[in-house]
Amino acid sequence: MNLEIITPDKKVFAGEANAVTFPGTEGQFQVLNNHAPLVSTLGVGDVVVEATPGAAKQVYRIDGGVVEVLKNKVLVLAEAII
């Protein structure tokens, strides 16, 4: 799936990912390839990006935001990277 993580200042990440874990306001959740459409608010916590199996995970600590998942495209609008 294609993932973009954007803050008001800059684009933090753009690329392919196999799995992404989010700090939802109601609890942590994970999005995989071909996930159902979704819009969710995010709380303070880590967005963990798994680009390929066996590769190192990338972690971005965010200060809240929203995520939209639609047709294998994931857009994260983060308030800030902390």
Side-chain angles (χ1 to χ4, degrees), residues 43-63:
V44 175
D46 294 335
V47 174
V48 181
V49 180
E50 298 176 44
T52 57
K57 297 176 183 177
Q58 296 174 313
V59 179
Y60 301 94
R61 185 139 181 96
I62 64 167
D63 189 23

Side-chain angles (χ1 to χ4, degrees), residues 21-39:
T21 304
F22 295 103
T25 52
E26 298 295 321
Q28 187 179 51
F29 64 96
Q30 187 175 53
V31 172
L32 303 171
N33 284 323
N34 301 312
H35 197 283
L38 167 79
V39 174

